[in-house]
PDB file of all heavy atoms in Angstrom:
ATOM      1  N   SER A   1    -128.448 -15.173 -33.696  1.00  0.00           N
ATOM      2  CA  SER A   1    -126.998 -15.036 -33.583  1.00  0.00           C
ATOM      3  C   SER A   1    -126.359 -16.293 -34.139  1.00  0.00           C
ATOM      4  O   SER A   1    -126.982 -17.341 -34.230  1.00  0.00           O
ATOM      5  CB  SER A   1    -126.577 -14.823 -32.127  1.00  0.00           C
ATOM      6  OG  SER A   1    -126.926 -15.942 -31.346  1.00  0.00           O
ATOM      7  N   GLY A   2    -125.112 -16.166 -34.538  1.00  0.00           N
ATOM      8  CA  GLY A   2    -124.393 -17.287 -35.127  1.00  0.00           C
ATOM      9  C   GLY A   2    -124.363 -17.165 -36.636  1.00  0.00           C
ATOM     10  O   GLY A   2    -125.178 -16.485 -37.235  1.00  0.00           O
ATOM     11  N   LEU A   3    -123.385 -17.813 -37.239  1.00  0.00           N
ATOM     12  CA  LEU A   3    -123.130 -17.722 -38.672  1.00  0.00           C
ATOM     13  C   LEU A   3    -122.999 -16.256 -39.065  1.00  0.00           C
ATOM     14  O   LEU A   3    -122.125 -15.570 -38.592  1.00  0.00           O
ATOM     15  CB  LEU A   3    -124.206 -18.438 -39.481  1.00  0.00           C
ATOM     16  CG  LEU A   3    -124.234 -19.953 -39.343  1.00  0.00           C
ATOM     17  CD1 LEU A   3    -125.431 -20.524 -40.097  1.00  0.00           C
ATOM     18  CD2 LEU A   3    -122.950 -20.585 -39.855  1.00  0.00           C
ATOM     19  N   TYR A   4    -123.886 -15.769 -39.903  1.00  0.00           N
ATOM     20  CA  TYR A   4    -123.813 -14.380 -40.340  1.00  0.00           C
ATOM     21  C   TYR A   4    -124.732 -13.463 -39.543  1.00  0.00           C
ATOM     22  O   TYR A   4    -124.821 -12.280 -39.831  1.00  0.00           O
ATOM     23  CB  TYR A   4    -124.179 -14.266 -41.818  1.00  0.00           C
ATOM     24  CG  TYR A   4    -123.200 -14.945 -42.745  1.00  0.00           C
ATOM     25  CD1 TYR A   4    -123.649 -15.757 -43.771  1.00  0.00           C
ATOM     26  CD2 TYR A   4    -121.842 -14.771 -42.603  1.00  0.00           C
ATOM     27  CE1 TYR A   4    -122.761 -16.369 -44.628  1.00  0.00           C
ATOM     28  CE2 TYR A   4    -120.944 -15.384 -43.446  1.00  0.00           C
ATOM     29  CZ  TYR A   4    -121.404 -16.174 -44.463  1.00  0.00           C
ATOM     30  OH  TYR A   4    -120.521 -16.776 -45.314  1.00  0.00           O
ATOM     31  N   PHE A   5    -125.438 -13.997 -38.552  1.00  0.00           N
ATOM     32  CA  PHE A   5    -126.384 -13.195 -37.793  1.00  0.00           C
ATOM     33  C   PHE A   5    -125.702 -12.569 -36.581  1.00  0.00           C
ATOM     34  O   PHE A   5    -125.095 -13.255 -35.774  1.00  0.00           O
ATOM     35  CB  PHE A   5    -127.567 -14.041 -37.324  1.00  0.00           C
ATOM     36  CG  PHE A   5    -128.413 -14.535 -38.450  1.00  0.00           C
ATOM     37  CD1 PHE A   5    -128.297 -15.842 -38.904  1.00  0.00           C
ATOM     38  CD2 PHE A   5    -129.317 -13.703 -39.077  1.00  0.00           C
ATOM     39  CE1 PHE A   5    -129.081 -16.298 -39.947  1.00  0.00           C
ATOM     40  CE2 PHE A   5    -130.101 -14.145 -40.122  1.00  0.00           C
ATOM     41  CZ  PHE A   5    -129.979 -15.445 -40.555  1.00  0.00           C
ATOM     42  N   CYS A   6    -125.807 -11.267 -36.468  1.00  0.00           N
ATOM     43  CA  CYS A   6    -125.245 -10.510 -35.348  1.00  0.00           C
ATOM     44  C   CYS A   6    -126.303  -9.501 -34.918  1.00  0.00           C
ATOM     45  O   CYS A   6    -126.236  -8.336 -35.298  1.00  0.00           O
ATOM     46  CB  CYS A   6    -123.962  -9.820 -35.767  1.00  0.00           C
ATOM     47  SG  CYS A   6    -122.697 -10.924 -36.388  1.00  0.00           S
ATOM     48  N   GLN A   7    -127.267  -9.965 -34.141  1.00  0.00           N
ATOM     49  CA  GLN A   7    -128.438  -9.142 -33.895  1.00  0.00           C
ATOM     50  C   GLN A   7    -128.593  -8.707 -32.446  1.00  0.00           C
ATOM     51  O   GLN A   7    -129.656  -8.823 -31.844  1.00  0.00           O
ATOM     52  CB  GLN A   7    -129.682  -9.859 -34.409  1.00  0.00           C
ATOM     53  CG  GLN A   7    -129.601 -10.059 -35.908  1.00  0.00           C
ATOM     54  CD  GLN A   7    -130.844 -10.670 -36.507  1.00  0.00           C
ATOM     55  OE1 GLN A   7    -131.742 -11.125 -35.815  1.00  0.00           O
ATOM     56  NE2 GLN A   7    -130.898 -10.682 -37.828  1.00  0.00           N
ATOM     57  N   THR A   8    -127.506  -8.201 -31.908  1.00  0.00           N
ATOM     58  CA  THR A   8    -127.526  -7.404 -30.681  1.00  0.00           C
ATOM     59  C   THR A   8    -126.629  -6.207 -30.977  1.00  0.00           C
ATOM     60  O   THR A   8    -125.773  -6.290 -31.867  1.00  0.00           O
ATOM     61  CB  THR A   8    -126.988  -8.176 -29.455  1.00  0.00           C
ATOM     62  OG1 THR A   8    -125.604  -8.448 -29.650  1.00  0.00           O
ATOM     63  CG2 THR A   8    -127.761  -9.470 -29.207  1.00  0.00           C
ATOM     64  N   PRO A   9    -126.801  -5.101 -30.276  1.00  0.00           N
ATOM     65  CA  PRO A   9    -125.956  -3.937 -30.597  1.00  0.00           C
ATOM     66  C   PRO A   9    -124.459  -4.253 -30.539  1.00  0.00           C
ATOM     67  O   PRO A   9    -123.712  -3.873 -31.437  1.00  0.00           O
ATOM     68  CB  PRO A   9    -126.360  -2.902 -29.541  1.00  0.00           C
ATOM     69  CG  PRO A   9    -127.773  -3.252 -29.219  1.00  0.00           C
ATOM     70  CD  PRO A   9    -127.838  -4.758 -29.296  1.00  0.00           C
ATOM     71  N   LYS A  10    -124.024  -4.958 -29.504  1.00  0.00           N
ATOM     72  CA  LYS A  10    -122.602  -5.261 -29.367  1.00  0.00           C
ATOM     73  C   LYS A  10    -122.123  -6.198 -30.478  1.00  0.00           C
ATOM     74  O   LYS A  10    -121.098  -5.942 -31.121  1.00  0.00           O
ATOM     75  CB  LYS A  10    -122.320  -5.886 -28.006  1.00  0.00           C
ATOM     76  CG  LYS A  10    -120.857  -6.184 -27.775  1.00  0.00           C
ATOM     77  CD  LYS A  10    -120.616  -6.801 -26.420  1.00  0.00           C
ATOM     78  CE  LYS A  10    -119.146  -7.143 -26.248  1.00  0.00           C
ATOM     79  NZ  LYS A  10    -118.879  -7.769 -24.968  1.00  0.00           N
ATOM     80  N   SER A  11    -122.864  -7.267 -30.732  1.00  0.00           N
ATOM     81  CA  SER A  11    -122.428  -8.215 -31.764  1.00  0.00           C
ATOM     82  C   SER A  11    -122.515  -7.600 -33.159  1.00  0.00           C
ATOM     83  O   SER A  11    -121.687  -7.892 -34.022  1.00  0.00           O
ATOM     84  CB  SER A  11    -123.227  -9.519 -31.692  1.00  0.00           C
ATOM     85  OG  SER A  11    -124.582  -9.313 -32.024  1.00  0.00           O
ATOM     86  N   ALA A  12    -123.485  -6.719 -33.388  1.00  0.00           N
ATOM     87  CA  ALA A  12    -123.578  -6.043 -34.686  1.00  0.00           C
ATOM     88  C   ALA A  12    -122.345  -5.184 -34.922  1.00  0.00           C
ATOM     89  O   ALA A  12    -121.775  -5.199 -36.009  1.00  0.00           O
ATOM     90  CB  ALA A  12    -124.844  -5.193 -34.756  1.00  0.00           C
ATOM     91  N   LEU A  13    -121.920  -4.474 -33.897  1.00  0.00           N
ATOM     92  CA  LEU A  13    -120.729  -3.639 -34.029  1.00  0.00           C
ATOM     93  C   LEU A  13    -119.485  -4.492 -34.264  1.00  0.00           C
ATOM     94  O   LEU A  13    -118.678  -4.190 -35.149  1.00  0.00           O
ATOM     95  CB  LEU A  13    -120.559  -2.764 -32.789  1.00  0.00           C
ATOM     96  CG  LEU A  13    -119.450  -1.729 -32.836  1.00  0.00           C
ATOM     97  CD1 LEU A  13    -119.650  -0.768 -33.992  1.00  0.00           C
ATOM     98  CD2 LEU A  13    -119.384  -0.968 -31.537  1.00  0.00           C
ATOM     99  N   VAL A  14    -119.345  -5.577 -33.507  1.00  0.00           N
ATOM    100  CA  VAL A  14    -118.192  -6.465 -33.670  1.00  0.00           C
ATOM    101  C   VAL A  14    -118.184  -7.078 -35.076  1.00  0.00           C
ATOM    102  O   VAL A  14    -117.154  -7.084 -35.760  1.00  0.00           O
ATOM    103  CB  VAL A  14    -118.185  -7.565 -32.584  1.00  0.00           C
ATOM    104  CG1 VAL A  14    -117.181  -8.653 -32.903  1.00  0.00           C
ATOM    105  CG2 VAL A  14    -117.898  -6.961 -31.219  1.00  0.00           C
ATOM    106  N   CYS A  15    -119.314  -7.582 -35.527  1.00  0.00           N
ATOM    107  CA  CYS A  15    -119.396  -8.186 -36.857  1.00  0.00           C
ATOM    108  C   CYS A  15    -119.108  -7.174 -37.955  1.00  0.00           C
ATOM    109  O   CYS A  15    -118.402  -7.478 -38.913  1.00  0.00           O
ATOM    110  CB  CYS A  15    -120.772  -8.807 -37.084  1.00  0.00           C
ATOM    111  SG  CYS A  15    -121.049 -10.310 -36.149  1.00  0.00           S
ATOM    112  N   TYR A  16    -119.648  -5.975 -37.804  1.00  0.00           N
ATOM    113  CA  TYR A  16    -119.443  -4.976 -38.852  1.00  0.00           C
ATOM    114  C   TYR A  16    -117.987  -4.529 -38.915  1.00  0.00           C
ATOM    115  O   TYR A  16    -117.439  -4.334 -39.992  1.00  0.00           O
ATOM    116  CB  TYR A  16    -120.368  -3.781 -38.650  1.00  0.00           C
ATOM    117  CG  TYR A  16    -120.481  -2.950 -39.897  1.00  0.00           C
ATOM    118  CD1 TYR A  16    -121.257  -3.382 -40.960  1.00  0.00           C
ATOM    119  CD2 TYR A  16    -119.780  -1.765 -40.041  1.00  0.00           C
ATOM    120  CE1 TYR A  16    -121.348  -2.641 -42.132  1.00  0.00           C
ATOM    121  CE2 TYR A  16    -119.867  -1.026 -41.205  1.00  0.00           C
ATOM    122  CZ  TYR A  16    -120.660  -1.468 -42.238  1.00  0.00           C
ATOM    123  OH  TYR A  16    -120.734  -0.739 -43.396  1.00  0.00           O
ATOM    124  N   VAL A  17    -117.336  -4.385 -37.761  1.00  0.00           N
ATOM    125  CA  VAL A  17    -115.923  -4.011 -37.745  1.00  0.00           C
ATOM    126  C   VAL A  17    -115.082  -5.124 -38.371  1.00  0.00           C
ATOM    127  O   VAL A  17    -114.177  -4.846 -39.168  1.00  0.00           O
ATOM    128  CB  VAL A  17    -115.448  -3.672 -36.312  1.00  0.00           C
ATOM    129  CG1 VAL A  17    -113.939  -3.570 -36.237  1.00  0.00           C
ATOM    130  CG2 VAL A  17    -116.089  -2.371 -35.843  1.00  0.00           C
ATOM    131  N   LYS A  18    -115.385  -6.389 -38.058  1.00  0.00           N
ATOM    132  CA  LYS A  18    -114.677  -7.506 -38.696  1.00  0.00           C
ATOM    133  C   LYS A  18    -114.878  -7.470 -40.205  1.00  0.00           C
ATOM    134  O   LYS A  18    -113.934  -7.654 -40.980  1.00  0.00           O
ATOM    135  CB  LYS A  18    -115.177  -8.847 -38.152  1.00  0.00           C
ATOM    136  CG  LYS A  18    -114.674  -9.196 -36.793  1.00  0.00           C
ATOM    137  CD  LYS A  18    -115.219 -10.560 -36.393  1.00  0.00           C
ATOM    138  CE  LYS A  18    -114.857 -10.930 -34.997  1.00  0.00           C
ATOM    139  NZ  LYS A  18    -115.436 -12.225 -34.591  1.00  0.00           N
ATOM    140  N   ASP A  19    -116.095  -7.229 -40.613  1.00  0.00           N
ATOM    141  CA  ASP A  19    -116.429  -7.153 -42.029  1.00  0.00           C
ATOM    142  C   ASP A  19    -115.655  -6.020 -42.711  1.00  0.00           C
ATOM    143  O   ASP A  19    -115.134  -6.179 -43.804  1.00  0.00           O
ATOM    144  CB  ASP A  19    -117.939  -6.938 -42.166  1.00  0.00           C
ATOM    145  CG  ASP A  19    -118.483  -7.298 -43.523  1.00  0.00           C
ATOM    146  OD1 ASP A  19    -118.151  -8.377 -44.023  1.00  0.00           O
ATOM    147  OD2 ASP A  19    -119.243  -6.484 -44.065  1.00  0.00           O
ATOM    148  N   LEU A  20    -115.558  -4.888 -42.037  1.00  0.00           N
ATOM    149  CA  LEU A  20    -114.829  -3.748 -42.575  1.00  0.00           C
ATOM    150  C   LEU A  20    -113.330  -4.048 -42.673  1.00  0.00           C
ATOM    151  O   LEU A  20    -112.676  -3.667 -43.642  1.00  0.00           O
ATOM    152  CB  LEU A  20    -115.069  -2.514 -41.709  1.00  0.00           C
ATOM    153  CG  LEU A  20    -114.585  -1.176 -42.241  1.00  0.00           C
ATOM    154  CD1 LEU A  20    -115.201  -0.872 -43.599  1.00  0.00           C
ATOM    155  CD2 LEU A  20    -114.908  -0.077 -41.255  1.00  0.00           C
ATOM    156  N   ILE A  21    -112.789  -4.763 -41.699  1.00  0.00           N
ATOM    157  CA  ILE A  21    -111.374  -5.151 -41.748  1.00  0.00           C
ATOM    158  C   ILE A  21    -111.125  -6.081 -42.928  1.00  0.00           C
ATOM    159  O   ILE A  21    -110.124  -5.936 -43.640  1.00  0.00           O
ATOM    160  CB  ILE A  21    -110.936  -5.790 -40.415  1.00  0.00           C
ATOM    161  CG1 ILE A  21    -110.883  -4.714 -39.322  1.00  0.00           C
ATOM    162  CG2 ILE A  21    -109.584  -6.483 -40.552  1.00  0.00           C
ATOM    163  CD1 ILE A  21    -110.719  -5.250 -37.919  1.00  0.00           C
ATOM    164  N   TYR A  22    -112.023  -7.044 -43.159  1.00  0.00           N
ATOM    165  CA  TYR A  22    -111.888  -7.917 -44.335  1.00  0.00           C
ATOM    166  C   TYR A  22    -111.883  -7.088 -45.625  1.00  0.00           C
ATOM    167  O   TYR A  22    -111.115  -7.341 -46.533  1.00  0.00           O
ATOM    168  CB  TYR A  22    -113.017  -8.941 -44.401  1.00  0.00           C
ATOM    169  CG  TYR A  22    -113.009  -9.977 -43.321  1.00  0.00           C
ATOM    170  CD1 TYR A  22    -114.201 -10.487 -42.824  1.00  0.00           C
ATOM    171  CD2 TYR A  22    -111.827 -10.472 -42.780  1.00  0.00           C
ATOM    172  CE1 TYR A  22    -114.214 -11.449 -41.830  1.00  0.00           C
ATOM    173  CE2 TYR A  22    -111.836 -11.424 -41.789  1.00  0.00           C
ATOM    174  CZ  TYR A  22    -113.028 -11.916 -41.314  1.00  0.00           C
ATOM    175  OH  TYR A  22    -113.038 -12.869 -40.328  1.00  0.00           O
ATOM    176  N   LEU A  23    -112.765  -6.102 -45.680  1.00  0.00           N
ATOM    177  CA  LEU A  23    -112.837  -5.253 -46.869  1.00  0.00           C
ATOM    178  C   LEU A  23    -111.550  -4.449 -47.050  1.00  0.00           C
ATOM    179  O   LEU A  23    -111.043  -4.333 -48.162  1.00  0.00           O
ATOM    180  CB  LEU A  23    -114.029  -4.309 -46.797  1.00  0.00           C
ATOM    181  CG  LEU A  23    -114.145  -3.366 -47.984  1.00  0.00           C
ATOM    182  CD1 LEU A  23    -114.615  -4.129 -49.217  1.00  0.00           C
ATOM    183  CD2 LEU A  23    -115.074  -2.225 -47.676  1.00  0.00           C
ATOM    184  N   LEU A  24    -111.022  -3.907 -45.950  1.00  0.00           N
ATOM    185  CA  LEU A  24    -109.786  -3.133 -46.045  1.00  0.00           C
ATOM    186  C   LEU A  24    -108.622  -4.002 -46.506  1.00  0.00           C
ATOM    187  O   LEU A  24    -107.765  -3.546 -47.262  1.00  0.00           O
ATOM    188  CB  LEU A  24    -109.479  -2.461 -44.710  1.00  0.00           C
ATOM    189  CG  LEU A  24    -110.425  -1.332 -44.319  1.00  0.00           C
ATOM    190  CD1 LEU A  24    -110.117  -0.838 -42.913  1.00  0.00           C
ATOM    191  CD2 LEU A  24    -110.366  -0.199 -45.311  1.00  0.00           C
ATOM    192  N   LYS A  25    -108.585  -5.253 -46.071  1.00  0.00           N
ATOM    193  CA  LYS A  25    -107.555  -6.175 -46.554  1.00  0.00           C
ATOM    194  C   LYS A  25    -107.755  -6.443 -48.044  1.00  0.00           C
ATOM    195  O   LYS A  25    -106.797  -6.477 -48.810  1.00  0.00           O
ATOM    196  CB  LYS A  25    -107.600  -7.492 -45.791  1.00  0.00           C
ATOM    197  CG  LYS A  25    -107.088  -7.400 -44.376  1.00  0.00           C
ATOM    198  CD  LYS A  25    -107.202  -8.738 -43.678  1.00  0.00           C
ATOM    199  CE  LYS A  25    -106.761  -8.675 -42.236  1.00  0.00           C
ATOM    200  NZ  LYS A  25    -106.948  -9.978 -41.557  1.00  0.00           N
ATOM    201  N   TYR A  26    -108.989  -6.635 -48.431  1.00  0.00           N
ATOM    202  CA  TYR A  26    -109.312  -6.931 -49.822  1.00  0.00           C
ATOM    203  C   TYR A  26    -108.959  -5.755 -50.744  1.00  0.00           C
ATOM    204  O   TYR A  26    -108.476  -5.941 -51.853  1.00  0.00           O
ATOM    205  CB  TYR A  26    -110.796  -7.282 -49.928  1.00  0.00           C
ATOM    206  CG  TYR A  26    -111.296  -7.559 -51.307  1.00  0.00           C
ATOM    207  CD1 TYR A  26    -110.909  -8.697 -51.999  1.00  0.00           C
ATOM    208  CD2 TYR A  26    -112.180  -6.680 -51.929  1.00  0.00           C
ATOM    209  CE1 TYR A  26    -111.375  -8.960 -53.277  1.00  0.00           C
ATOM    210  CE2 TYR A  26    -112.657  -6.940 -53.196  1.00  0.00           C
ATOM    211  CZ  TYR A  26    -112.255  -8.074 -53.863  1.00  0.00           C
ATOM    212  OH  TYR A  26    -112.721  -8.332 -55.133  1.00  0.00           O
ATOM    213  N   LEU A  27    -109.208  -4.548 -50.249  1.00  0.00           N
ATOM    214  CA  LEU A  27    -108.969  -3.346 -51.049  1.00  0.00           C
ATOM    215  C   LEU A  27    -107.739  -2.568 -50.582  1.00  0.00           C
ATOM    216  O   LEU A  27    -107.672  -1.346 -50.743  1.00  0.00           O
ATOM    217  CB  LEU A  27    -110.200  -2.435 -50.991  1.00  0.00           C
ATOM    218  CG  LEU A  27    -111.480  -2.978 -51.594  1.00  0.00           C
ATOM    219  CD1 LEU A  27    -112.636  -2.008 -51.364  1.00  0.00           C
ATOM    220  CD2 LEU A  27    -111.305  -3.244 -53.076  1.00  0.00           C
ATOM    221  N   ALA A  28    -106.754  -3.251 -50.018  1.00  0.00           N
ATOM    222  CA  ALA A  28    -105.588  -2.579 -49.435  1.00  0.00           C
ATOM    223  C   ALA A  28    -104.821  -1.758 -50.457  1.00  0.00           C
ATOM    224  O   ALA A  28    -104.457  -0.607 -50.182  1.00  0.00           O
ATOM    225  CB  ALA A  28    -104.664  -3.604 -48.776  1.00  0.00           C
ATOM    226  N   ILE A  29    -104.576  -2.296 -51.631  1.00  0.00           N
ATOM    227  CA  ILE A  29    -103.779  -1.575 -52.631  1.00  0.00           C
ATOM    228  C   ILE A  29    -104.516  -0.340 -53.154  1.00  0.00           C
ATOM    229  O   ILE A  29    -103.958   0.765 -53.123  1.00  0.00           O
ATOM    230  CB  ILE A  29    -103.340  -2.521 -53.765  1.00  0.00           C
ATOM    231  CG1 ILE A  29    -102.347  -3.534 -53.201  1.00  0.00           C
ATOM    232  CG2 ILE A  29    -102.727  -1.741 -54.929  1.00  0.00           C
ATOM    233  CD1 ILE A  29    -101.979  -4.637 -54.153  1.00  0.00           C
ATOM    234  N   PRO A  30    -105.774  -0.455 -53.611  1.00  0.00           N
ATOM    235  CA  PRO A  30    -106.440   0.775 -54.068  1.00  0.00           C
ATOM    236  C   PRO A  30    -106.679   1.786 -52.939  1.00  0.00           C
ATOM    237  O   PRO A  30    -106.619   2.994 -53.177  1.00  0.00           O
ATOM    238  CB  PRO A  30    -107.755   0.296 -54.672  1.00  0.00           C
ATOM    239  CG  PRO A  30    -107.902  -1.117 -54.312  1.00  0.00           C
ATOM    240  CD  PRO A  30    -106.590  -1.633 -53.875  1.00  0.00           C
ATOM    241  N   THR A  31    -106.904   1.294 -51.717  1.00  0.00           N
ATOM    242  CA  THR A  31    -107.098   2.209 -50.591  1.00  0.00           C
ATOM    243  C   THR A  31    -105.822   2.989 -50.318  1.00  0.00           C
ATOM    244  O   THR A  31    -105.851   4.220 -50.164  1.00  0.00           O
ATOM    245  CB  THR A  31    -107.521   1.427 -49.327  1.00  0.00           C
ATOM    246  OG1 THR A  31    -108.731   0.726 -49.591  1.00  0.00           O
ATOM    247  CG2 THR A  31    -107.722   2.361 -48.147  1.00  0.00           C
ATOM    248  N   THR A  32    -104.703   2.288 -50.268  1.00  0.00           N
ATOM    249  CA  THR A  32    -103.422   2.945 -50.023  1.00  0.00           C
ATOM    250  C   THR A  32    -103.112   3.949 -51.114  1.00  0.00           C
ATOM    251  O   THR A  32    -102.753   5.102 -50.827  1.00  0.00           O
ATOM    252  CB  THR A  32    -102.294   1.889 -49.934  1.00  0.00           C
ATOM    253  OG1 THR A  32    -102.626   0.942 -48.914  1.00  0.00           O
ATOM    254  CG2 THR A  32    -100.964   2.537 -49.622  1.00  0.00           C
ATOM    255  N   PHE A  33    -103.262   3.548 -52.350  1.00  0.00           N
ATOM    256  CA  PHE A  33    -102.991   4.444 -53.475  1.00  0.00           C
ATOM    257  C   PHE A  33    -103.870   5.688 -53.413  1.00  0.00           C
ATOM    258  O   PHE A  33    -103.384   6.819 -53.556  1.00  0.00           O
ATOM    259  CB  PHE A  33    -103.215   3.710 -54.800  1.00  0.00           C
ATOM    260  CG  PHE A  33    -103.134   4.608 -55.994  1.00  0.00           C
ATOM    261  CD1 PHE A  33    -101.900   5.024 -56.491  1.00  0.00           C
ATOM    262  CD2 PHE A  33    -104.290   5.064 -56.619  1.00  0.00           C
ATOM    263  CE1 PHE A  33    -101.828   5.863 -57.586  1.00  0.00           C
ATOM    264  CE2 PHE A  33    -104.219   5.904 -57.710  1.00  0.00           C
ATOM    265  CZ  PHE A  33    -102.979   6.301 -58.198  1.00  0.00           C
ATOM    266  N   THR A  34    -105.154   5.500 -53.198  1.00  0.00           N
ATOM    267  CA  THR A  34    -106.095   6.625 -53.198  1.00  0.00           C
ATOM    268  C   THR A  34    -105.813   7.598 -52.066  1.00  0.00           C
ATOM    269  O   THR A  34    -105.772   8.817 -52.272  1.00  0.00           O
ATOM    270  CB  THR A  34    -107.541   6.098 -53.115  1.00  0.00           C
ATOM    271  OG1 THR A  34    -107.774   5.219 -54.209  1.00  0.00           O
ATOM    272  CG2 THR A  34    -108.542   7.224 -53.144  1.00  0.00           C
ATOM    273  N   PHE A  35    -105.598   7.078 -50.855  1.00  0.00           N
ATOM    274  CA  PHE A  35    -105.355   7.974 -49.731  1.00  0.00           C
ATOM    275  C   PHE A  35    -103.993   8.657 -49.821  1.00  0.00           C
ATOM    276  O   PHE A  35    -103.857   9.820 -49.436  1.00  0.00           O
ATOM    277  CB  PHE A  35    -105.548   7.253 -48.395  1.00  0.00           C
ATOM    278  CG  PHE A  35    -106.994   7.102 -48.041  1.00  0.00           C
ATOM    279  CD1 PHE A  35    -107.630   5.876 -48.149  1.00  0.00           C
ATOM    280  CD2 PHE A  35    -107.735   8.189 -47.622  1.00  0.00           C
ATOM    281  CE1 PHE A  35    -108.966   5.742 -47.849  1.00  0.00           C
ATOM    282  CE2 PHE A  35    -109.080   8.063 -47.309  1.00  0.00           C
ATOM    283  CZ  PHE A  35    -109.692   6.842 -47.425  1.00  0.00           C
ATOM    284  N   LEU A  36    -102.997   7.969 -50.324  1.00  0.00           N
ATOM    285  CA  LEU A  36    -101.704   8.628 -50.542  1.00  0.00           C
ATOM    286  C   LEU A  36    -101.835   9.749 -51.561  1.00  0.00           C
ATOM    287  O   LEU A  36    -101.270  10.839 -51.381  1.00  0.00           O
ATOM    288  CB  LEU A  36    -100.650   7.620 -51.000  1.00  0.00           C
ATOM    289  CG  LEU A  36    -100.028   6.752 -49.920  1.00  0.00           C
ATOM    290  CD1 LEU A  36     -99.085   5.726 -50.535  1.00  0.00           C
ATOM    291  CD2 LEU A  36     -99.294   7.605 -48.896  1.00  0.00           C
ATOM    292  N   PHE A  37    -102.567   9.505 -52.615  1.00  0.00           N
ATOM    293  CA  PHE A  37    -102.805  10.539 -53.626  1.00  0.00           C
ATOM    294  C   PHE A  37    -103.500  11.752 -53.014  1.00  0.00           C
ATOM    295  O   PHE A  37    -103.122  12.901 -53.282  1.00  0.00           O
ATOM    296  CB  PHE A  37    -103.628   9.968 -54.779  1.00  0.00           C
ATOM    297  CG  PHE A  37    -103.810  10.923 -55.910  1.00  0.00           C
ATOM    298  CD1 PHE A  37    -102.848  11.037 -56.896  1.00  0.00           C
ATOM    299  CD2 PHE A  37    -104.944  11.728 -55.983  1.00  0.00           C
ATOM    300  CE1 PHE A  37    -103.003  11.935 -57.946  1.00  0.00           C
ATOM    301  CE2 PHE A  37    -105.110  12.621 -57.016  1.00  0.00           C
ATOM    302  CZ  PHE A  37    -104.134  12.729 -58.005  1.00  0.00           C
ATOM    303  N   LEU A  38    -104.520  11.504 -52.182  1.00  0.00           N
ATOM    304  CA  LEU A  38    -105.232  12.613 -51.539  1.00  0.00           C
ATOM    305  C   LEU A  38    -104.318  13.383 -50.599  1.00  0.00           C
ATOM    306  O   LEU A  38    -104.347  14.622 -50.564  1.00  0.00           O
ATOM    307  CB  LEU A  38    -106.451  12.091 -50.771  1.00  0.00           C
ATOM    308  CG  LEU A  38    -107.638  11.642 -51.600  1.00  0.00           C
ATOM    309  CD1 LEU A  38    -108.717  11.064 -50.703  1.00  0.00           C
ATOM    310  CD2 LEU A  38    -108.186  12.789 -52.423  1.00  0.00           C
ATOM    311  N   ILE A  39    -103.522  12.670 -49.816  1.00  0.00           N
ATOM    312  CA  ILE A  39    -102.639  13.333 -48.852  1.00  0.00           C
ATOM    313  C   ILE A  39    -101.581  14.168 -49.564  1.00  0.00           C
ATOM    314  O   ILE A  39    -101.321  15.309 -49.184  1.00  0.00           O
ATOM    315  CB  ILE A  39    -101.990  12.277 -47.921  1.00  0.00           C
ATOM    316  CG1 ILE A  39    -103.049  11.679 -47.000  1.00  0.00           C
ATOM    317  CG2 ILE A  39    -100.854  12.889 -47.106  1.00  0.00           C
ATOM    318  CD1 ILE A  39    -102.611  10.433 -46.262  1.00  0.00           C
ATOM    319  N   ILE A  40    -100.992  13.614 -50.611  1.00  0.00           N
ATOM    320  CA  ILE A  40     -99.941  14.322 -51.348  1.00  0.00           C
ATOM    321  C   ILE A  40    -100.489  15.583 -52.015  1.00  0.00           C
ATOM    322  O   ILE A  40     -99.835  16.628 -52.027  1.00  0.00           O
ATOM    323  CB  ILE A  40     -99.295  13.389 -52.390  1.00  0.00           C
ATOM    324  CG1 ILE A  40     -98.481  12.315 -51.673  1.00  0.00           C
ATOM    325  CG2 ILE A  40     -98.431  14.160 -53.373  1.00  0.00           C
ATOM    326  CD1 ILE A  40     -98.030  11.173 -52.571  1.00  0.00           C
ATOM    327  N   ASN A  41    -101.694  15.523 -52.536  1.00  0.00           N
ATOM    328  CA  ASN A  41    -102.255  16.643 -53.293  1.00  0.00           C
ATOM    329  C   ASN A  41    -103.204  17.531 -52.494  1.00  0.00           C
ATOM    330  O   ASN A  41    -103.768  18.476 -53.045  1.00  0.00           O
ATOM    331  CB  ASN A  41    -102.984  16.117 -54.533  1.00  0.00           C
ATOM    332  CG  ASN A  41    -102.024  15.482 -55.499  1.00  0.00           C
ATOM    333  OD1 ASN A  41    -101.044  16.091 -55.900  1.00  0.00           O
ATOM    334  ND2 ASN A  41    -102.289  14.241 -55.858  1.00  0.00           N
TER     335      ASN A  41
END
């Protein structure tokens, strides 16, 4: 555990969700565009 290691079920879930949030921030514009396009069509 520590740094990039999250090797218990709870910490793995917390780390992965944080990682996913970072990704969503990073890809906010293409994500918004793509999902809006899908919803509209």
Side-chain angles (χ1 to χ4, degrees):
S1 63
L3 292 175
Y4 294 134
F5 294 101
C6 302
Q7 297 184 350
T8 66
K10 182 180 177 181
S11 66
L13 186 59
V14 168
C15 288
Y16 197 76
V17 168
K18 284 181 185 177
D19 199 47
L20 190 57
I21 290 169
Y22 293 146
L23 178 73
L24 291 174
K25 287 178 183 177
Y26 178 69
L27 296 176
I29 292 172
T31 301
T32 304
F33 172 78
T34 303
F35 282 106
L36 281 175
F37 185 85
L38 287 176
I39 291 167
I40 290 168
N41 294 306

